[in-house]
Amino acid sequence: MEITNVSEYEAIAKQKLPKMVYDYYASGAEDQWTLQENRNAFSRILFRPRILIDVSKIDMTTTVLGFKISMPIMIAPTAMQKMAHPDGEYATARAASAAGTIMTLSSWATSSVEEVASTGPGIRFFQLYVYKDRNVVAQLVRRAERAGFKAIALTVDTPRLGRREADIKNRFTLPPFLTLKNFEGLDLGKMDKASSYITFLRINKNIICNLTLSWKDVKWLQTITSLPILVKGVITAEDTRLAIQAGAAGIIVSNHGARQLDYVPATIMALEEVVKAAQGRVPVFLDGGVRRGTDVFKALALGASGIFIGRPVVFSLAAEGEAGVRKVLQMLREEFELTMALSGCRSLKEITRNHIVTEWDRPRIAPAPRFAVLSFDKVVLSFDWCTSSSARIDSMFHLEV
């Protein structure tokens, strides 16, 4: 059966992967409300397409931190990709490069920064946590710099790991033939095959969990690297302003794939608040829930400079390896181009807020009726619904018998 959209890869991945691995990729925190909302929220944003515009030529290219890419669709950091396919991050890196876009490598990858760099040319970012042991952080940053990575995506929503109940039930453990390659030599490269996910976290809590993480750490990171820093995990205006004050080069609106705090808003719902607070001082990107080219368009209409995809990458990787990741990127590209054409947009700069309507501004195109009529048997009462004046209501009020 031909795969015709990105979401179809998840069912294939579920069939092919061990339950423990599939659940690790697919599940969210606690009740998983935010996991569902990350997707559902997109369906509540509607289009206002413009017509009779020449869309014979459409340009989807854009620039991110000075690097030109073919489309505003990039790859988010997802951990341990060799659990999905033997080629893991190698395949993802090659697919991103072929598509002319950016790959973000997870610091918890099963391929090292050097190995990913060896796959050939490409624009790559490195995802990072600030651990309690700053020496670990410094070593990781230096390795990423030497390997030619162009930016740091600093994850800031993880002072502690969220409660992911599927992993607890499955007693998640990394397969014994895999290692966290970026930590080799730092006593974090291997998990004991008999140890559970929870035991691993407890053993290494002094390194993994950093309850003291603060904006000071963002400023400290800038003292050890000249790479631009994207702050990943912002969903409020307040933190947007603080991130900019701390020197962030950009902001990624993210709720960690709904894997940290449940019942936070979908990222597409938080996006406009962050964009307005940023006031154009730094670019804002969206991470979470994107499965269609229409989703990409909606995010850009709300002010995003681009989007990142995570789960579609690992699901397509599990299904078809590098070819699957290439197809996901191609399908999203084609859908996004089609959405642009049908909306009357020939370039990204032509995508505006006026091309969509959201729950909070829908009344502007669907005004409430001016008059309401209430009927009680043979008595009809009518009054002006829009007036705010009681005197006006009294003067408009009449009876018909």
Side-chain angles (χ1 to χ4, degrees), residues 128 138 141-142 144-145 149-152 218-229:
L128 181 72
V141 169
R142 284 195 292 271
E145 288 175 333
F149 283 65
K150 303 302 183 184
I152 299 292
V218 180
K219 292 181 178 180
W220 167 80
L221 188 58
Q222 293 169 70
T223 68
I224 67 165
T225 183
S226 60
L227 294 178
I229 298 169

PDB file of all heavy atoms in Angstrom, residues 128 138 141-142 144-145 149-152 218-229:
ATOM      1  N   LEU A 128      21.334  20.280  23.500  1.00  0.00           N
ATOM      2  CA  LEU A 128      22.150  20.190  24.709  1.00  0.00           C
ATOM      3  C   LEU A 128      21.294  20.409  25.951  1.00  0.00           C
ATOM      4  O   LEU A 128      20.365  21.209  25.945  1.00  0.00           O
ATOM      5  CB  LEU A 128      23.248  21.263  24.647  1.00  0.00           C
ATOM      6  CG  LEU A 128      24.246  21.349  25.801  1.00  0.00           C
ATOM      7  CD1 LEU A 128      25.212  20.169  25.763  1.00  0.00           C
ATOM      8  CD2 LEU A 128      25.018  22.675  25.718  1.00  0.00           C
ATOM      9  N   ALA A 138      30.832  21.345  28.806  1.00  0.00           N
ATOM     10  CA  ALA A 138      31.911  21.969  28.035  1.00  0.00           C
ATOM     11  C   ALA A 138      32.508  20.991  27.026  1.00  0.00           C
ATOM     12  O   ALA A 138      32.793  21.363  25.876  1.00  0.00           O
ATOM     13  CB  ALA A 138      32.990  22.491  28.977  1.00  0.00           C
ATOM     14  N   VAL A 141      30.064  20.532  24.101  1.00  0.00           N
ATOM     15  CA  VAL A 141      30.050  21.704  23.225  1.00  0.00           C
ATOM     16  C   VAL A 141      31.297  21.738  22.350  1.00  0.00           C
ATOM     17  O   VAL A 141      31.221  22.000  21.142  1.00  0.00           O
ATOM     18  CB  VAL A 141      29.926  22.996  24.055  1.00  0.00           C
ATOM     19  CG1 VAL A 141      30.178  24.231  23.187  1.00  0.00           C
ATOM     20  CG2 VAL A 141      28.539  23.076  24.704  1.00  0.00           C
ATOM     21  N   ARG A 142      32.446  21.466  22.928  1.00  0.00           N
ATOM     22  CA  ARG A 142      33.680  21.480  22.145  1.00  0.00           C
ATOM     23  C   ARG A 142      33.650  20.431  21.036  1.00  0.00           C
ATOM     24  O   ARG A 142      34.101  20.675  19.913  1.00  0.00           O
ATOM     25  CB  ARG A 142      34.891  21.263  23.062  1.00  0.00           C
ATOM     26  CG  ARG A 142      35.267  22.506  23.880  1.00  0.00           C
ATOM     27  CD  ARG A 142      36.657  22.377  24.471  1.00  0.00           C
ATOM     28  NE  ARG A 142      36.711  21.345  25.505  1.00  0.00           N
ATOM     29  CZ  ARG A 142      36.473  21.567  26.791  1.00  0.00           C
ATOM     30  NH1 ARG A 142      36.159  22.784  27.204  1.00  0.00           N
ATOM     31  NH2 ARG A 142      36.564  20.585  27.675  1.00  0.00           N
ATOM     32  N   ALA A 144      30.975  19.261  19.536  1.00  0.00           N
ATOM     33  CA  ALA A 144      30.036  19.723  18.510  1.00  0.00           C
ATOM     34  C   ALA A 144      30.670  20.797  17.636  1.00  0.00           C
ATOM     35  O   ALA A 144      30.516  20.791  16.400  1.00  0.00           O
ATOM     36  CB  ALA A 144      28.760  20.245  19.168  1.00  0.00           C
ATOM     37  N   GLU A 145      31.397  21.706  18.254  1.00  0.00           N
ATOM     38  CA  GLU A 145      32.075  22.760  17.489  1.00  0.00           C
ATOM     39  C   GLU A 145      33.086  22.155  16.519  1.00  0.00           C
ATOM     40  O   GLU A 145      33.124  22.520  15.332  1.00  0.00           O
ATOM     41  CB  GLU A 145      32.780  23.724  18.445  1.00  0.00           C
ATOM     42  CG  GLU A 145      31.848  24.633  19.224  1.00  0.00           C
ATOM     43  CD  GLU A 145      32.600  25.471  20.239  1.00  0.00           C
ATOM     44  OE1 GLU A 145      33.686  25.030  20.712  1.00  0.00           O
ATOM     45  OE2 GLU A 145      32.115  26.565  20.573  1.00  0.00           O
ATOM     46  N   PHE A 149      29.175  21.600  13.810  1.00  0.00           N
ATOM     47  CA  PHE A 149      27.783  21.958  14.091  1.00  0.00           C
ATOM     48  C   PHE A 149      27.664  23.472  14.202  1.00  0.00           C
ATOM     49  O   PHE A 149      28.588  24.168  14.653  1.00  0.00           O
ATOM     50  CB  PHE A 149      27.304  21.257  15.360  1.00  0.00           C
ATOM     51  CG  PHE A 149      26.976  19.807  15.134  1.00  0.00           C
ATOM     52  CD1 PHE A 149      27.968  18.886  14.783  1.00  0.00           C
ATOM     53  CD2 PHE A 149      25.673  19.344  15.251  1.00  0.00           C
ATOM     54  CE1 PHE A 149      27.668  17.556  14.544  1.00  0.00           C
ATOM     55  CE2 PHE A 149      25.349  18.010  15.028  1.00  0.00           C
ATOM     56  CZ  PHE A 149      26.359  17.112  14.669  1.00  0.00           C
ATOM     57  N   LYS A 150      26.515  24.008  13.786  1.00  0.00           N
ATOM     58  CA  LYS A 150      26.388  25.445  13.578  1.00  0.00           C
ATOM     59  C   LYS A 150      25.630  26.184  14.681  1.00  0.00           C
ATOM     60  O   LYS A 150      25.663  27.421  14.714  1.00  0.00           O
ATOM     61  CB  LYS A 150      25.670  25.707  12.239  1.00  0.00           C
ATOM     62  CG  LYS A 150      26.358  25.080  11.037  1.00  0.00           C
ATOM     63  CD  LYS A 150      27.803  25.566  10.878  1.00  0.00           C
ATOM     64  CE  LYS A 150      28.452  24.988   9.624  1.00  0.00           C
ATOM     65  NZ  LYS A 150      29.883  25.384   9.521  1.00  0.00           N
ATOM     66  N   ALA A 151      24.956  25.484  15.565  1.00  0.00           N
ATOM     67  CA  ALA A 151      24.202  26.144  16.633  1.00  0.00           C
ATOM     68  C   ALA A 151      23.916  25.144  17.745  1.00  0.00           C
ATOM     69  O   ALA A 151      23.985  23.921  17.540  1.00  0.00           O
ATOM     70  CB  ALA A 151      22.892  26.734  16.100  1.00  0.00           C
ATOM     71  N   ILE A 152      23.580  25.682  18.907  1.00  0.00           N
ATOM     72  CA  ILE A 152      23.183  24.870  20.052  1.00  0.00           C
ATOM     73  C   ILE A 152      21.687  25.068  20.288  1.00  0.00           C
ATOM     74  O   ILE A 152      21.217  26.207  20.377  1.00  0.00           O
ATOM     75  CB  ILE A 152      23.948  25.284  21.333  1.00  0.00           C
ATOM     76  CG1 ILE A 152      25.465  25.098  21.144  1.00  0.00           C
ATOM     77  CG2 ILE A 152      23.440  24.511  22.542  1.00  0.00           C
ATOM     78  CD1 ILE A 152      25.909  23.670  21.019  1.00  0.00           C
ATOM     79  N   VAL A 218      22.252  29.875  30.972  1.00  0.00           N
ATOM     80  CA  VAL A 218      22.214  30.275  29.561  1.00  0.00           C
ATOM     81  C   VAL A 218      23.329  31.285  29.295  1.00  0.00           C
ATOM     82  O   VAL A 218      24.029  31.207  28.281  1.00  0.00           O
ATOM     83  CB  VAL A 218      20.840  30.877  29.211  1.00  0.00           C
ATOM     84  CG1 VAL A 218      20.806  31.305  27.740  1.00  0.00           C
ATOM     85  CG2 VAL A 218      19.725  29.872  29.500  1.00  0.00           C
ATOM     86  N   LYS A 219      23.500  32.224  30.214  1.00  0.00           N
ATOM     87  CA  LYS A 219      24.574  33.212  30.058  1.00  0.00           C
ATOM     88  C   LYS A 219      25.945  32.560  30.176  1.00  0.00           C
ATOM     89  O   LYS A 219      26.874  32.896  29.437  1.00  0.00           O
ATOM     90  CB  LYS A 219      24.405  34.317  31.104  1.00  0.00           C
ATOM     91  CG  LYS A 219      23.168  35.173  30.877  1.00  0.00           C
ATOM     92  CD  LYS A 219      23.048  36.268  31.922  1.00  0.00           C
ATOM     93  CE  LYS A 219      21.826  37.137  31.656  1.00  0.00           C
ATOM     94  NZ  LYS A 219      21.684  38.208  32.670  1.00  0.00           N
ATOM     95  N   TRP A 220      26.074  31.591  31.097  1.00  0.00           N
ATOM     96  CA  TRP A 220      27.358  30.889  31.232  1.00  0.00           C
ATOM     97  C   TRP A 220      27.715  30.156  29.956  1.00  0.00           C
ATOM     98  O   TRP A 220      28.882  30.175  29.520  1.00  0.00           O
ATOM     99  CB  TRP A 220      27.297  29.898  32.399  1.00  0.00           C
ATOM    100  CG  TRP A 220      28.465  28.948  32.391  1.00  0.00           C
ATOM    101  CD1 TRP A 220      29.722  29.190  32.835  1.00  0.00           C
ATOM    102  CD2 TRP A 220      28.478  27.611  31.853  1.00  0.00           C
ATOM    103  NE1 TRP A 220      30.529  28.093  32.623  1.00  0.00           N
ATOM    104  CE2 TRP A 220      29.788  27.110  32.022  1.00  0.00           C
ATOM    105  CE3 TRP A 220      27.513  26.798  31.265  1.00  0.00           C
ATOM    106  CZ2 TRP A 220      30.145  25.828  31.613  1.00  0.00           C
ATOM    107  CZ3 TRP A 220      27.872  25.519  30.850  1.00  0.00           C
ATOM    108  CH2 TRP A 220      29.180  25.045  31.031  1.00  0.00           C
ATOM    109  N   LEU A 221      26.732  29.526  29.336  1.00  0.00           N
ATOM    110  CA  LEU A 221      26.994  28.769  28.111  1.00  0.00           C
ATOM    111  C   LEU A 221      27.600  29.663  27.031  1.00  0.00           C
ATOM    112  O   LEU A 221      28.472  29.235  26.264  1.00  0.00           O
ATOM    113  CB  LEU A 221      25.696  28.126  27.614  1.00  0.00           C
ATOM    114  CG  LEU A 221      25.799  27.140  26.451  1.00  0.00           C
ATOM    115  CD1 LEU A 221      26.736  25.984  26.788  1.00  0.00           C
ATOM    116  CD2 LEU A 221      24.417  26.612  26.077  1.00  0.00           C
ATOM    117  N   GLN A 222      27.176  30.905  26.989  1.00  0.00           N
ATOM    118  CA  GLN A 222      27.713  31.838  26.001  1.00  0.00           C
ATOM    119  C   GLN A 222      29.182  32.180  26.253  1.00  0.00           C
ATOM    120  O   GLN A 222      29.874  32.641  25.343  1.00  0.00           O
ATOM    121  CB  GLN A 222      26.880  33.118  25.990  1.00  0.00           C
ATOM    122  CG  GLN A 222      25.464  32.897  25.487  1.00  0.00           C
ATOM    123  CD  GLN A 222      24.582  34.110  25.730  1.00  0.00           C
ATOM    124  OE1 GLN A 222      24.758  35.143  25.101  1.00  0.00           O
ATOM    125  NE2 GLN A 222      23.659  33.996  26.653  1.00  0.00           N
ATOM    126  N   THR A 223      29.654  31.934  27.457  1.00  0.00           N
ATOM    127  CA  THR A 223      31.068  32.212  27.758  1.00  0.00           C
ATOM    128  C   THR A 223      31.985  31.104  27.265  1.00  0.00           C
ATOM    129  O   THR A 223      33.206  31.304  27.193  1.00  0.00           O
ATOM    130  CB  THR A 223      31.292  32.403  29.274  1.00  0.00           C
ATOM    131  OG1 THR A 223      31.092  31.156  29.953  1.00  0.00           O
ATOM    132  CG2 THR A 223      30.358  33.457  29.843  1.00  0.00           C
ATOM    133  N   ILE A 224      31.424  29.939  26.943  1.00  0.00           N
ATOM    134  CA  ILE A 224      32.272  28.824  26.504  1.00  0.00           C
ATOM    135  C   ILE A 224      32.109  28.497  25.033  1.00  0.00           C
ATOM    136  O   ILE A 224      32.787  27.609  24.517  1.00  0.00           O
ATOM    137  CB  ILE A 224      32.031  27.552  27.348  1.00  0.00           C
ATOM    138  CG1 ILE A 224      30.628  26.979  27.104  1.00  0.00           C
ATOM    139  CG2 ILE A 224      32.264  27.825  28.827  1.00  0.00           C
ATOM    140  CD1 ILE A 224      30.442  25.568  27.615  1.00  0.00           C
ATOM    141  N   THR A 225      31.185  29.192  24.341  1.00  0.00           N
ATOM    142  CA  THR A 225      31.009  28.931  22.916  1.00  0.00           C
ATOM    143  C   THR A 225      30.582  30.196  22.200  1.00  0.00           C
ATOM    144  O   THR A 225      29.888  31.049  22.767  1.00  0.00           O
ATOM    145  CB  THR A 225      29.965  27.818  22.665  1.00  0.00           C
ATOM    146  OG1 THR A 225      29.884  27.563  21.249  1.00  0.00           O
ATOM    147  CG2 THR A 225      28.590  28.207  23.183  1.00  0.00           C
ATOM    148  N   SER A 226      30.977  30.280  20.949  1.00  0.00           N
ATOM    149  CA  SER A 226      30.527  31.386  20.102  1.00  0.00           C
ATOM    150  C   SER A 226      29.351  30.975  19.225  1.00  0.00           C
ATOM    151  O   SER A 226      28.830  31.795  18.462  1.00  0.00           O
ATOM    152  CB  SER A 226      31.684  31.857  19.216  1.00  0.00           C
ATOM    153  OG  SER A 226      32.142  30.790  18.385  1.00  0.00           O
ATOM    154  N   LEU A 227      28.934  29.719  19.337  1.00  0.00           N
ATOM    155  CA  LEU A 227      27.795  29.261  18.546  1.00  0.00           C
ATOM    156  C   LEU A 227      26.524  29.952  19.020  1.00  0.00           C
ATOM    157  O   LEU A 227      26.331  30.179  20.220  1.00  0.00           O
ATOM    158  CB  LEU A 227      27.626  27.746  18.672  1.00  0.00           C
ATOM    159  CG  LEU A 227      28.730  26.864  18.082  1.00  0.00           C
ATOM    160  CD1 LEU A 227      28.419  25.387  18.334  1.00  0.00           C
ATOM    161  CD2 LEU A 227      28.900  27.130  16.597  1.00  0.00           C
ATOM    162  N   PRO A 228      25.624  30.282  18.094  1.00  0.00           N
ATOM    163  CA  PRO A 228      24.333  30.845  18.506  1.00  0.00           C
ATOM    164  C   PRO A 228      23.529  29.826  19.304  1.00  0.00           C
ATOM    165  O   PRO A 228      23.602  28.621  19.039  1.00  0.00           O
ATOM    166  CB  PRO A 228      23.649  31.185  17.184  1.00  0.00           C
ATOM    167  CG  PRO A 228      24.331  30.341  16.157  1.00  0.00           C
ATOM    168  CD  PRO A 228      25.738  30.151  16.634  1.00  0.00           C
ATOM    169  N   ILE A 229      22.768  30.314  20.276  1.00  0.00           N
ATOM    170  CA  ILE A 229      22.013  29.433  21.164  1.00  0.00           C
ATOM    171  C   ILE A 229      20.516  29.643  20.958  1.00  0.00           C
ATOM    172  O   ILE A 229      19.999  30.761  21.126  1.00  0.00           O
ATOM    173  CB  ILE A 229      22.380  29.690  22.636  1.00  0.00           C
ATOM    174  CG1 ILE A 229      23.861  29.373  22.865  1.00  0.00           C
ATOM    175  CG2 ILE A 229      21.505  28.855  23.572  1.00  0.00           C
ATOM    176  CD1 ILE A 229      24.388  29.838  24.207  1.00  0.00           C
TER     177      ILE A 229
END
